[in-house]
Amino acid sequence: MPPQKEYALPRQRSLLLPAVINPFVHDLKLTKADKIKCFLLGIILVPLRGIFLLLVLMVMWPISVMITFRQPLKGAVEPMTGWRRFMHKRVMTFLGWLYFFGMGFRVVVKGKQASSVQAPILAVAPHSSFFDAIVCIEAGLPSTVSRSESLEAPIFGRFLRCVQPVLVSRKDPDSRRNTILEIERRAKSGGHWPQVLIFPEGTCTNRSCLITFKQGAFVPGVPVQPVLIRYPNKLDTVTWTWQGPKSIYTFLPPQIPTEIEKKCPFKFAKSVRAVMAESLGLPVTDHTYEDCRLMIAAGELTLPMEAGLVEFTKISRKLELKWDSVKKELESFANIACSCKGGRITIEEFSSFLKLPISPALQELFALFDRNGDGTIDFREYVIGVTVLCRPANNEEVIQTAFKLFDIDEDNCITQEEFSSLLRSALGVRDLEVHSLFKEIDADGSGHITYDEFCSFALTHPEYAKLFTTYLELQRYQGLQGEEPDFEASLSHCCTASHNHQEDSTSDKKDD
């Protein structure tokens, strides 16, 4: 019985597609009846609600000025006490409730909110709208984490000062560290400070899943109370122009970290997210705000915006990639896929990019990239393929072996005749035009390729190294089946070494 063919790397279950492909887009479709209802009720409700909200703001403004008068925002900030605390906790909370009531919100609260001693931090999810701020009202106006620029907003900046937020500044390089320290200081004050409310997802989603939680809320290692947000509207609009949206807030029991989770905020965040996702009946994904940045970058590169989604947290952790590296790979992907519809690469475009015809070796390489077997390569598959398959194969041993194969007369340079002769033999194509590829590698235009030019091109085009080792793997496989390989059997040692190198370099990345 002939041996079964094996891929150079097994499919890694931890890198399969997420349950929700794009949690950052919500496609709302309104019927004609909905649009008419929106228009007619909007004519009546907008003026009435506008007047009511204006009256509430006129009352809130002087009270917020009174509460925050001579209250420092930076430095040795202490929690409000006495009459300031009463006005903030009771009066401003009631006025905030009136404001959202005027916008049409009807809130149902389930569960019991823990005290600041029992759970110093409230983690709220899923985060999908600025209307989610209503949870601050229902929770008694706890402290929040906010950008320092938000304090400069007219009227609402003054309201924000009332909750004594933990400020984040984009201009301060130490802001992230200082923010974590301030959250930790308040969380470990033993109830001296009010609770700190945090949206751990860090960005808005369409509520179809829970994306990766930022670790800021979990670094202090104190109990965290999960708070769930639901909008059980018939239409997912979270709008107030025709039908007031309902909101359901559920306070789950506080989650107390284990000793291991106290030392590892990532595990604590993952544990709390799992509890919240189970209560919501939603899947979890490893998308994060960086995926939004990649979506924007994809749009700027004339790709469909969703092409940039890769589940950045998982990809960066398992493949040890930084955001800049993934962004660079996106630019490389765009060079191949910019002419394709939908931002997905077919084998024809892949072949055209490599300036090589479709051959068994190229088909095998394409199949390794195409993880879901749909006949195309998306950006996520491209990043995984380049990192897991191509870069490990692009080592000095493989490059030297490939150069020696092309350098038939062993004069330390490759002529176009040698280059085309070997490629014709390897790819099984007699009428192969390689002039453009040869010219691209021959950087100085001397008519021959030196080892330095060959190595430089290989390092910036790792797909060719993997194509080379894939071909050798095919030869080895044919040899095991008793077929006559095109090259000498000794070359299979290089392929086996490359195969083992890839297995070792990614063995720690196969497990979830």
Side-chain angles (χ1 to χ4, degrees), residues 319-376:
L319 305 185
E320 299 176 2
L321 293 174
K322 302 295 184 182
W323 190 87
D324 290 339
S325 301
V326 180
K327 172 67 162 53
K328 189 175 181 181
E329 297 295 357
L330 179 61
E331 293 171 355
S332 300
F333 179 81
N335 290 333
I336 311 174
C338 60
S339 61
C340 330
K341 292 183 179 180
R344 305 178 73 91
I345 302 170
T346 64
I347 192 169
E348 288 78 17
E349 279 106 12
F350 196 60
S351 168
S352 175
F353 171 74
L354 295 177
K355 298 181 177 64
L356 293 172
I358 298 174
S359 64
L362 191 138
Q363 289 174 330
E364 181 75 5
L365 176 60
F366 186 86
L368 289 173
F369 272 82
D370 181 16
R371 301 179 64 82
N372 62 359
D374 66 351
T376 63

Side-chain angles (χ1 to χ4, degrees), residues 54-321:
L54 183 61
L55 292 174
V56 175
L57 289 178
M58 290 175 64
V59 177
M60 292 180 70
W61 166 252
I63 294 176
S64 64
V65 171
M66 188 188 312
I67 294 173
T68 57
F69 182 67
R70 289 189 177 181
Q71 279 289 107
L73 293 172
K74 298 180 181 179
V77 180
E78 291 297 325
M80 295 179 182
T81 57
W83 66 270
R84 293 180 192 269
R85 177 73 173 166
F86 175 81
M87 296 289 287
H88 161 258
K89 187 77 174 178
R90 303 296 181 186
V91 179
M92 288 297 290
T93 298
F94 175 72
L95 291 173
W97 179 85
L98 274 183
Y99 188 83
F100 277 96
F101 180 84
M103 287 194 292
F105 280 87
R106 305 296 180 265
V107 181
V108 176
V109 179
K110 297 182 179 180
K112 183 179 179 182
Q113 182 179 355
S115 68
S116 58
V117 175
Q118 295 170 319
I121 295 177
L122 301 175
V124 184
H127 184 28
S128 61
S129 167
F130 62 88
F131 288 128
D132 293 344
I134 194 174
V135 75
C136 297
I137 305 298
E138 295 298 330
L141 291 180
S143 296
T144 60
V145 178
S146 177
R147 295 182 302 167
S148 56
E149 295 85 356
S150 300
L151 297 179
E152 300 174 3
I155 303 178
F156 290 96
R158 179 64 67 171
F159 299 157
L160 184 60
R161 292 188 184 193
C162 291
V163 301
Q164 295 185 288
V166 178
L167 297 177
V168 181
S169 175
R170 293 181 176 178
K171 300 178 182 178
D172 182 5
D174 298 324
S175 179
R176 178 181 173 83
R177 181 175 63 86
N178 293 337
T179 299
I180 297 295
L181 291 175
E182 181 61 18
I183 292 174
E184 189 168 7
R185 182 178 77 90
R186 298 189 184 192
K188 294 182 176 180
S189 65
H192 183 59
W193 273 95
Q195 290 170 303
V196 179
L197 186 146
I198 296 176
F199 294 95
E201 290 178 296
T203 188
C204 291
T205 69
N206 57 18
R207 300 197 302 279
S208 60
C209 63
L210 292 185
I211 64 173
T212 301
F213 281 8
K214 301 290 185 181
Q215 298 179 31
F218 309 94
V219 169
V222 298
V224 172
Q225 183 170 28
V227 182
L228 311 179
I229 302 178
R230 294 183 178 93
Y231 294 98
N233 296 31
K234 183 179 178 181
L235 287 175
D236 186 9
T237 57
V238 193
T239 184
W240 55 276
T241 50
W242 64 85
Q243 181 180 349
K246 290 183 179 179
S247 302
I248 298 178
Y249 297 101
T250 305
F251 289 91
L252 298 181
Q255 301 299 303
I256 302 174
T258 63
E259 291 302 319
I260 295 177
E261 290 173 341
K262 287 180 180 179
K263 298 176 182 178
C264 182
F266 173 78
K267 290 184 177 180
F268 189 23
K270 194 173 182 180
S271 172
V272 173
R273 182 177 67 154
V275 171
M276 299 175 76
E278 183 179 0
S279 297
L280 290 165
L282 295 177
V284 298
T285 71
D286 286 306
H287 293 101
T288 187
Y289 177 67
E290 281 72 18
D291 284 284
C292 295
R293 296 173 63 191
L294 286 170
M295 283 179 65
I296 295 172
E300 292 173 348
L301 292 169
T302 68
L303 291 171
M305 293 187 69
E306 60 270 16
L309 294 173
V310 295
E311 277 194 303
F312 181 83
T313 299
K314 180 183 290 186
I315 294 295
S316 62
R317 187 177 74 252
K318 290 191 170 291
L319 305 185
E320 299 176 2
L321 293 174

